[in-house]
Amino acid sequence: MDTSNLKKVDIIFSKVDNPLQILDKALQKSPDDIINEIIDSGLKGRGGAGFPTGLKWKFTKNEDSDVKYVICNADEGEPGTFKDRQIIEEVPEKIFIGMALAAYCIGAKEAYMYLRGEYNFLKKDIIPKMEWFNNEIKNRGLDVTLYLRSGSGAYICGEESALFESMEGKRGEPRNKPPYPTKAGYNNKPTSINNVETLVFVTMIQHLGVEEFKKLGTKDSRGSKVFSISGDTPIPGIYELELGMKVSDFVREFGDGDTKAVQIGGASGFCVPRKNFENTIIGFEGIPTGGSVMLFNSSRSMYNILHNYLDFFVEESCAQCTPCRAGLQQLLKGIEAIKRREKPASYLNELIKLSQTMKVASKCGLGQSVANPFVSIVENFKEEIIF
Amino acid sequence: MQEQNELIKILVEKHGRTRNALMPILQDIVAEKQFLEPSDIALVAEELDLSAADVYGTATFYTFLDTVPRGKNVIRVCKTISCYMSGKDEIINALEKVLNIKVGDTTVDKQFTLLTANCMGWCHKGPVMLINDDVYHSLTPEAAIEIVQQYKEKSKN
């Protein structure tokens, strides 16, 4: 008997006979029709931020510019996230179709995939497939070319404006916003930048129809999502699940019977302690995630986990803005000092205030989101941080 | 020097002389020789009409664009959360022992450099390491040693 409250879905990795037919069918529609379908579907970005995909395309389309760009963000770097790698390995043609449709809709001639350097080994398969696809779209009279660009081991380049800087041959330092990418992105031209999984969903919404997609999920979190599940679980791996599930149902399925906390959204996400499993939802109405869900059992020290996260951020901060650069170092030094009893336990309150200042004062999402793990771990596991 | 000039000339022809070509050019140099020498940076800067400081500033931002000498095989062991939980320390200890170097160092014969790196996207199959572009996951200390031995054998032939 299936006692699971989770609904497993197979959209992203499903094999489609002759996927190019999806492209052919879609190209019979006008760009506006496709954009309206994507808006109607309620699809939100699957990279974590959750911006409505159809609106992003609409804004980029409405910009008055001869040159526009499409970028597929394949700089998957959030700790605990590994689903894009598998999507690229297994169904690259579905990503390419999503990129080509994005270019068709917004009026771009160039579409780039920015692949993280850690995934360089995928290039030997991707490049020939991309060449094949470029030929296919040329044969269809579509004036779009796909290109592959690589990262070089910088987490921050997954942040869209840092990614543009990197593609422009500069240090991957995020820009001030606005202007947003839809107005001034790569080469300061209107750019639609979407996550790998989002582009596959666009393709599959064209294939299955909007209504089929809308049947899944909740009002705020339409559809399904590919999750990367790791940590203390007997069955780590990649699972596509309907959105809007309770953490308690998730833990029942994936936990090892001793789960004390679940980190949702990677190092920059939130830690949910056992007492909140029942009333926390994974999705845009609760805790959103780019896919990373990590389980911790009672053998784990939450101090060590927080320390590992802070180490990660200290190294990956681009260090251009002071709140993030100096704030991270002080948070790390601070918890170490409390552990060594050089600072009183009450110092934790100062550190929480510092992380909240970083949330307001940092330039980009990296510094702004450090308070998520910091506060949620410190407040729920205070005794482990102090003693 | 002659060879170096030619490599950079070829790469500049291939990728173009715009600033947008800088990353692909630097990446290809590193793929060829594992790190960027000051003379590489000066030459690329000259070809692209940029200041060498600007090119150096860009290169040093990126973990994979090394500007210090590296061995022929660069090993990067993931140290982020799930690899930490699944025992990356044992892997690093085993590699330090078999290579007789510490993290950050290069072997005397310049065959191996041992480094740690942040999350590589294999959290369900940790611990994991990259050797150059190739991934080795679900490691045990024995398996890691075995893999390094294979690279040693290869370099002898």
Side-chain angles (χ1 to χ4, degrees), chain A residues 43-177:
Chain A
L43 175 65
K44 292 180 181 176
R46 293 299 195 246
F51 192 82
T53 307
L55 284 181
K56 191 180 271 188
W57 288 17
K58 188 177 175 181
F59 294 154
T60 322
K61 177 177 187 289
N62 288 346
E63 286 296 325
D64 185 22
S65 172
D66 292 341
V67 181
K68 295 180 187 179
Y69 298 103
V70 165
I71 293 176
C72 167
N73 187 343
D75 195 48
E76 175 176 63
E78 188 62 46
T81 314
F82 43 88
K83 46 114 189 157
D84 290 341
R85 172 178 49 74
Q86 190 143 330
I87 297 173
I88 297 165
E89 273 185 298
E90 291 191 18
V91 288
E93 65 285 348
K94 288 192 194 174
I95 309 168
F96 298 159
I97 292 169
M99 291 169 74
L101 287 177
Y104 171 68
C105 287
I106 68 162
K109 292 188 170 62
E110 295 176 27
Y112 292 85
M113 176 186 275
Y114 184 97
L115 184 71
R116 68 186 305 213
E118 290 82 346
Y119 294 169
N120 274 345
F121 69 96
L122 292 173
K123 281 174 69 184
K124 62 179 187 303
D125 288 332
I126 289 285
I127 291 171
K129 282 181 183 159
M130 200 176 253
E131 281 167 2
W132 162 80
F133 186 81
N134 277 334
N135 261 325
E136 290 290 337
I137 50 178
K138 283 282 166 310
N139 292 343
R140 284 163 171 77
L142 190 64
D143 186 13
V144 177
T145 310
L146 271 52
Y147 301 91
L148 187 72
R149 295 292 290 272
S150 297
S152 273
Y155 165 77
I156 190 59
C157 289
E159 198 278 342
E160 53 195 17
S161 66
L163 188 151
F164 303 144
E165 292 288 305
S166 175
M167 282 182 60
E168 291 173 16
K170 299 172 199 153
R171 296 166 65 86
E173 293 176 348
R175 301 171 182 170
N176 282 322
K177 293 181 203 173

Side-chain angles (χ1 to χ4, degrees), chain A residues 100 109 117 168 174 182 186 208 231 245 251 271 278 281 320 326 341 349:
Chain A
K109 292 188 170 62
E168 291 173 16
T182 53
Y186 178 47
L208 301 170
M245 72 192 109
V251 168
C271 182
E278 193 57 35
I281 292 194
Q320 66 167 322
R341 305 202 177 178
N349 298 329

Side-chain angles (χ1 to χ4, degrees), chain A residues 188-208:
Chain A
N188 279 320
K189 300 292 183 189
T191 304
S192 177
I193 176 165
N194 298 106
N195 171 259
V196 170
E197 184 186 341
T198 311
L199 290 165
V200 176
F201 269 119
V202 166
T203 303
M204 293 310 285
I205 288 170
Q206 289 302 311
H207 182 53
L208 301 170

Side-chain angles (χ1 to χ4, degrees), chain A residues 116 149 153 170-171 315-316, chain B residues 20 57 62-63 79 118-119:
Chain A
R116 68 186 305 213
R149 295 292 290 272
K170 299 172 199 153
R171 296 166 65 86
E315 284 188 13
E316 296 296 342
Chain B
N20 286 5
Y62 297 93
T63 319
K79 62 176 174 181
N118 284 323
C119 189

Side-chain angles (χ1 to χ4, degrees), chain B residues 17-37:
Chain B
R17 281 169 202 279
T18 64
R19 176 95 196 216
N20 286 5
L22 181 58
M23 287 290 285
I25 292 170
L26 297 180
Q27 285 163 345
D28 282 358
I29 298 172
V30 171
E32 192 67 30
K33 49 189 275 194
Q34 283 70 45
F35 70 104
L36 300 161
E37 291 179 76

